[in-house]
């Protein structure tokens, strides 16, 4: 080993992926220790830092070329020692000149002062803040003013970020590509308009509203009306995830859905106000769509709303089938409702999507319109490899037995399905057609019944959900 040049030793060390193995290798000799210190680019620390600031300073001095750091205090208790505080971020900003990616999880001692220290990290391009409860919008603003290369920003449960001037400034920079805002109570759908020109650069948007606490500004008509007077260019958007959002007809986030010509993945979860017209526009514009996930409030399916234009119907699925010929992942789910047996999507609409598109993965939850006839139709679904059925109570053993005839099915997941028993899995036992079978909380399927039905089998039974 002593005869090997440094670049070959570097390559050897790069192939050691586990941190514990890297640490062991670095102790083999002084040369390995020195080269590992120079080569180490990522670091993940947390509750084990004690005293936190001093320990972090030693680590930063040992590894001078760090580009990615994650600090997490999940499960922290006071007896574990004081958390990293603002002084720790001061150490990072001065000791890690190449820092490009920083994640702070449950760092509750961090304040706006610490974020101001990070503003001097000119190479910082990705920042993820999860439950850093003491920071405010002022701290975020000082950070985005200093970090002109920030391309990814994730804010999760930052409850005191109550001003959005930083969004407007970020919009003017026109560099942000990945924006995630999750359960930040004071940031509503109407605030996103402040991104302005940056919509053109944005590739990934994830926005989730806390369903249990809605800040009143999301209902402010003036904030939403501003969307009518501004064009939202989203030609580079590839992924959208909207959860618990309000979709206003013809404005707000509805403006975004119909303008993403390069969109590949969309997830709409419990978004109130989504219409057929929104999904149709999306389908017509986003011909490159590969994955769609729809979780629809069951209230849309109540008999009183049968003629309500807000109700999604098969027209949405047919538009996707005719325009999105690259679609390979489809997830349709209905939330628990008072009348779960009524669905806004019929079996015909779902099967149209399966027949027209090369669907490789299909997941259905609480979709009572999908029954044994649907399972029979899947026998001709040539591309289908993964099938997940959750609370699909109209499927019986007769339909489940057809799974052995699906051309390319390799993964089957069943969860909380009441109508299937061990008999439904019998044709699969010993055939080893499936690579993986997962059965969870299906009351009439036993652990013995799943044995031998796939190369890899998992079984779990918890029937508390029924009572």
């Amino acid at each position: 080993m002593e005869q090997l040049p440094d670049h070959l030793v570097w390559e050897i060390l790069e192939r050691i992926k586990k941190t514990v193995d890297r640490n062991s290798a670095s102790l083999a000799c002084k040369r390995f220790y020195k080269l590992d210190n120079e080569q180490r680019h990522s670091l993940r620390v947390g509750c084990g830092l004690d005293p936190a600031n001093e320990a972090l300073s030693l680590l930063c001095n040992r590894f001078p070329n760090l580009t990615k750091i994650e600090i997490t205090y999940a499960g922290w208790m006071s007896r574990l020692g004081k958390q990293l505080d603002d002084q720790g971020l001061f150490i990072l900003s001065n000791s890690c000149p190449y820092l490009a990616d920083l994640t702070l999880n449950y760092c509750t001692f961090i304040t706006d002062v610490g974020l101001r220290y990070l503003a001097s990290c000119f190479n910082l391009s990705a920042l993820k803040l999860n439950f850093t409860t003491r920071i405010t919008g002022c701290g975020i603003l000082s950070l985005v003013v200093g970090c002109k290369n920030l391309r990814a920003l994730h804010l999760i449960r930052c409850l005191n970020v109550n001003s959005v001037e930083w969004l407007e400034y970020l919009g003017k920079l026109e560099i942000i590509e990945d924006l995630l805002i999750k359960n930040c109570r004071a940031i509503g759908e109407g605030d996103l308009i402040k991104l302005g020109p940056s919509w053109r650069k944005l590739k990934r948007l994830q926005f989730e509203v806390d369903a249990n606490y809605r800040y009143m500004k999301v209902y402010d008509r003036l904030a939403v009306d501003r969307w009518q007077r501004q064009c939202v260019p989203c030609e580079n958007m590839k992924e959208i995830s909207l959860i618990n959002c309000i979709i206003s007809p013809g404005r707000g986030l509805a403006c975004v859905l119909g303008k993403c010509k390069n969109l590949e993945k969309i997830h709409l979860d419990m978004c109130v106000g989504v219409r057929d017209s929104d999904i149709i526009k999306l389908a017509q514009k986003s011909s490159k769509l590969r994955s769609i996930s729809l979780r629809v409030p069951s209230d849309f399916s109540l008999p009183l709303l049968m003629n309500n234009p807000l109700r999604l119907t098969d027209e949405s699925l047919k538009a996707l089938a005719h325009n999105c010929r690259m679609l390979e992942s489809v997830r349709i789910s209905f939330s628990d409702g008072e009348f779960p047996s009524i669905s806004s999507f019929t079996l015909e609409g779902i099967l149209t999507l399966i027949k027209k598109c090369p669907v490789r993965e299909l997941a259905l939850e609480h979709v009572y319109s999908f029954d044994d006839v649907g399972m029979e139709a899947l026998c001709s679904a040539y591309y289908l490899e993964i099938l997940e059925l959750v609370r699909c109570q109209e499927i019986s053993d007769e339909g489940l037995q057809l799974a052995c005839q699906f051309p390319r099915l390799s993964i089957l997941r069943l969860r909380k399905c009441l109508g299937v028993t061990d008999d439904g899995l019998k044709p699969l036992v010993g055939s080893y057609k499936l690579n993986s079978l997962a059965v969870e909380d299906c009351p009439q399927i036993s652990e013995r019944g799943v044995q031998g039905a796939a190369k890899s089998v998992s079984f779990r039974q918890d029937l508390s959900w029924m009572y």
Side-chain angles (χ1 to χ4, degrees):
M1 293 294 289
E2 293 179 357
Q3 306 301 321
L4 288 177
D6 284 354
H7 72 275
L8 288 181
V9 178
W10 271 57
E11 186 173 341
I12 292 171
L13 291 175
E14 280 184 346
R15 299 192 180 197
I16 303 175
K17 301 303 181 183
K18 293 184 178 180
T19 301
V20 63
D21 293 336
R22 286 289 295 267
N23 291 338
S24 298
S26 69
L27 297 176
C29 63
K30 290 183 178 180
R31 185 188 183 203
F32 278 19
Y33 184 82
K34 177 178 179 293
L35 290 177
D36 179 56
N37 291 349
E38 294 175 357
Q39 189 190 59
R40 194 78 66 98
H41 295 296
S42 64
L43 183 67
R44 187 177 188 271
V45 294
C47 297
L49 284 180
D50 187 29
N53 293 336
E54 291 81 349
L56 183 64
S57 180
L58 291 173
L59 287 171
C60 291
N61 289 330
R62 177 182 170 183
F63 306 117
N65 297 318
L66 288 172
T67 60
K68 182 177 181 180
I69 297 177
E70 179 180 349
I71 301 172
T72 179
Y73 279 97
W76 176 84
M77 294 176 287
S78 58
R79 64 179 177 81
L80 297 175
K82 187 180 178 182
Q83 280 194 16
L84 191 81
D85 57 18
D86 294 332
Q87 184 62 27
L89 295 189
F90 177 77
I91 292 170
L92 282 181
S93 63
N94 283 277
S95 304
C96 301
Y98 306 110
L99 184 62
D101 189 329
L102 176 63
T103 299
L104 301 176
N105 287 320
Y106 303 96
C107 296
T108 54
F109 284 39
I110 301 296
T111 71
D112 290 346
V113 174
L115 293 187
R116 292 190 190 102
Y117 291 144
L118 288 180
S120 62
C121 297
F122 303 117
N123 290 314
L124 192 66
S125 60
L127 177 64
K128 303 174 183 68
L129 303 175
N130 179 16
F131 204 69
T132 48
T133 53
R134 298 190 186 186
I135 66 169
T136 70
C138 294
I140 302 293
L141 177 61
S142 63
L143 182 106
V144 298
V145 169
C147 301
K148 297 283 196 300
N149 292 313
L150 197 64
R151 286 174 170 76
L153 178 61
H154 292 188
L155 302 179
I156 303 171
R157 291 185 293 173
C158 296
L159 306 181
N160 288 312
V161 179
N162 52 7
S163 62
V164 289
E165 287 82 0
W166 58 272
L167 260 176
E168 191 168 1
Y169 189 88
L170 199 62
K172 292 177 181 178
L173 292 178
E174 296 188 54
I175 59 169
I176 190 73
E177 296 178 357
D178 181 357
L179 179 63
L180 183 152
I181 301 174
K182 179 179 179 180
N183 293 343
C184 297
R185 294 176 176 177
I187 305 175
E189 296 92 329
D191 294 317
L192 294 178
I193 188 61
K194 294 184 178 180
L195 277 174
S198 277
W199 280 102
R200 184 176 289 106
K201 287 283 186 177
L202 206 58
K203 294 181 180 179
R204 186 182 184 206
L205 172 67
Q206 298 178 80
F207 189 81
E208 179 174 347
V209 176
D210 188 343
N212 299 314
Y213 179 95
R214 268 193 168 274
Y215 193 70
M216 289 305 295
K217 70 162 57 181
V218 301
Y219 294 107
D220 185 355
R221 286 292 300 273
L222 294 177
V224 177
D225 284 345
R226 289 184 59 189
W227 288 74
Q228 289 184 306
R229 299 191 293 270
Q230 186 166 342
C231 177
V232 183
C234 308
E235 56 265 24
N236 288 312
M237 190 78 74
K238 291 189 175 181
E239 182 177 341
I240 294 177
S241 176
L242 304 177
I243 302 175
N244 299 324
C245 293
I246 295 176
I247 309 295
S248 300
R251 54 193 166 192
L253 292 171
C255 297
V256 177
L257 296 180
K259 297 183 179 179
C260 304
K261 65 179 182 180
N262 289 306
L263 192 67
E264 296 178 1
K265 183 177 182 180
I266 186 166
H267 174 64
L268 300 177
D269 188 336
M270 299 296 287
C271 290
V272 178
V274 181
R275 302 175 177 226
D276 276 338
S277 58
D278 297 321
I279 302 299
I280 291 171
K281 288 178 182 177
L282 170 74
Q284 291 173 342
K285 193 69 175 181
S286 307
S287 60
K288 298 179 181 179
L289 194 67
R290 293 182 178 273
S291 173
I292 185 167
S293 175
L294 297 173
R295 184 165 180 254
V296 184
S298 290
D299 289 344
F300 282 3
S301 305
L302 295 177
L304 295 176
L305 297 176
M306 293 299 284
N307 297 317
N308 194 310
L310 290 179
R311 180 174 172 269
L312 289 175
T313 69
D314 285 348
E315 295 303 312
S316 295
L317 299 184
K318 291 177 181 178
L320 290 167
H322 290 295
N323 294 281
C324 304
R325 296 303 180 90
M326 300 172 68
L327 195 61
E328 59 183 18
S329 177
V330 176
R331 303 184 71 88
I332 298 175
S333 173
F334 289 88
S335 67
D336 294 344
E338 203 171 339
F339 299 94
S341 60
I342 303 174
S343 169
S344 58
F345 297 136
T346 69
L347 179 61
E348 179 186 358
I350 295 172
L351 294 183
T352 299
L353 200 60
I354 301 300
K355 292 175 181 177
K356 294 282 187 180
C357 302
V359 176
R360 188 182 64 85
E361 178 179 4
L362 175 64
L364 302 174
E365 179 175 355
H366 234 234
V367 182
Y368 280 71
S369 60
F370 192 83
D371 54 15
D372 290 347
V373 176
M375 292 292 285
E376 184 179 3
L378 293 185
C379 292
S380 60
Y382 177 75
Y383 298 97
L384 187 65
E385 298 176 8
I386 302 171
L387 177 62
E388 181 176 344
L389 301 172
V390 182
R391 296 197 184 192
C392 293
Q393 314 301 15
E394 297 301 313
I395 296 175
S396 69
D397 286 340
E398 185 178 347
L400 184 57
Q401 289 171 358
L402 296 171
C404 65
Q405 301 179 31
F406 295 178
R408 302 178 66 178
L409 189 69
S410 62
I411 298 175
L412 176 62
R413 305 186 187 108
L414 302 174
R415 185 154 55 95
K416 299 180 180 179
C417 294
L418 299 176
V420 292
T421 72
D422 291 349
D423 290 339
L425 294 174
K426 281 185 178 179
L428 291 169
V429 175
S431 69
Y432 294 103
K433 171 184 174 61
L434 297 179
N435 289 327
S436 175
L437 170 66
V439 177
E440 296 183 12
D441 308 334
C442 297
Q444 298 192 79
I445 296 181
S446 67
E447 188 169 7
R448 183 178 180 180
V450 303
Q451 299 304 316
K455 297 174 184 176
S456 173
V457 173
S458 66
F459 178 84
R460 191 184 74 178
Q461 191 78 289
D462 179 6
L463 303 182
S464 60
W465 66 276
M466 298 177 62
Y467 305 105

